[in-house]
Amino acid sequence: MKDYQKDFISFAIDRGVLKFGEFTLKSGRTSPYFFNAGLFNKGSDLAKLGRFYAAALMDAKVEFDVLFGPAYKGIPIATATAVALYDHHQKDTPYCFNRKEKKDHGEGGNLVGSELNGKVMLVDDVITAGTAIRESMEIVEANGASLAGVLIALDRQEKGKGELSAIQEVERDFGATIISIVGLNDIIEFLKDDPEFNQHLPKVQAYREQYGV
Ligand code: OMP
């Protein structure tokens, strides 16, 4: 685990974004941990978050033309990442996002920001089973663009619909690279080393045994 990844887990715990307990997921699975990116909700959070996403993106060295943040949660993340890429990595990157509601006046269209074409880096918060990513892919494909990669904060590293992980399915179906700031493996590594949160390790490990890949 790299330093920025460890710092990211501490930051997420500190802000109440990463919690341990009992949670029901969108998939119906009961999970001993949950990542609620909506609780990154102040200016300093967003500035730091952008820096972590940009660090993961630079680390991955995947070529792309435009950042796309699907509504709603992807919007501030794509924006903060674009700012951090410019401020900290001298990369001036176009970005865009979609609106969920159809607009029938003004410039029309469902996209705001730059055009969605070329190689797209889709930015979102979490992948569990990949459902949200598939919905966003329809927008990318409808614009004739291709998916270069998916950039997320947390890869829960769980099985998708079949035996493959959600990530493996998205990689297979869209030929894209998945980049995450951290994965479940990093959280487990963090728990092993942290005396305060070590108590949660057995349940998280048992969950990985059952649903992990
Ligand atoms: P998939 O669409 O199945 O990949 O799940 C991703 C979505 O699940 C996220 O966009 C959230 O709505 C939600 N989620 C979290 O935000 N954090 C978690 O730790 C787990 C989930 C989830 O329900 O699986």
Side-chain angles (χ1 to χ4, degrees):
M1 181 163 38
K2 298 196 169 151
D3 281 351
Y4 78 85
Q5 295 177 300
K6 200 167 173 225
D7 291 347
F8 180 70
I9 295 174
S10 297
F11 170 52
I13 290 177
D14 195 49
R15 296 296 296 128
V17 167
L18 177 59
K19 280 210 174 77
F20 300 95
E22 202 178 292
F23 308 91
T24 304
L25 304 185
K26 192 160 124 184
S27 60
R29 293 173 187 170
T30 304
S31 168
Y33 75 102
F34 195 80
F35 187 88
N36 180 1
L39 293 174
F40 287 129
N41 56 15
K42 3 179 239 185
S44 57
D45 290 347
L46 203 53
K48 287 181 198 164
L49 195 61
R51 267 178 253 158
F52 283 118
Y53 272 87
L57 194 50
M58 296 309 293
D59 213 12
K61 299 184 179 64
V62 174
E63 261 185 57
F64 66 97
D65 301 308
V66 55
L67 290 171
F68 173 57
Y72 296 98
K73 283 189 284 183
I75 298 175
I77 302 175
T79 314
T81 305
V83 172
L85 284 173
Y86 181 68
D87 278 350
H88 301 280
H89 304 276
Q90 296 75 50
K91 292 219 172 301
D92 200 4
T93 310
Y95 77 97
C96 70
F97 55 89
N98 65 306
R99 33 175 137 245
K100 288 210 174 177
E101 312 76 19
K102 265 227 150 48
K103 193 170 175 243
D104 52 12
H105 62 279
E107 75 275 26
N110 275 2
L111 290 176
V112 185
S114 85
E115 287 183 19
L116 184 62
N117 51 29
K119 288 180 261 171
V120 177
M121 181 60 65
L122 205 157
V123 185
D124 214 338
D125 56 354
V126 180
I127 288 189
T128 302
T131 324
I133 299 291
R134 279 169 200 285
E135 286 164 15
S136 301
M137 267 316 291
E138 289 175 19
I139 302 169
V140 172
E141 285 175 344
N143 281 274
S146 66
L147 190 68
V150 178
L151 172 65
I152 49 173
L154 172 65
D155 175 5
R156 294 184 49 105
Q157 300 178 300
E158 292 184 26
K159 286 184 192 125
K161 287 179 255 165
E163 277 305 302
L164 291 180
S165 73
I167 300 281
Q168 288 165 331
E169 286 177 353
V170 171
E171 285 178 336
R172 178 199 60 196
D173 295 349
F174 306 115
T177 308
I178 312 281
I179 305 161
S180 62
I181 305 172
V182 293
L184 175 58
N185 286 346
D186 299 309
I187 293 179
I188 287 176
E189 210 181 307
F190 180 94
L191 292 178
K192 281 183 183 161
D193 292 341
D194 190 283
E196 192 186 341
F197 289 94
N198 192 267
Q199 49 172 313
H200 302 294
L201 186 60
K203 282 192 176 161
V204 176
Q205 276 177 322
Y207 185 82
R208 180 173 63 175
E209 290 291 308
Q210 192 171 0
Y211 297 113
V213 282

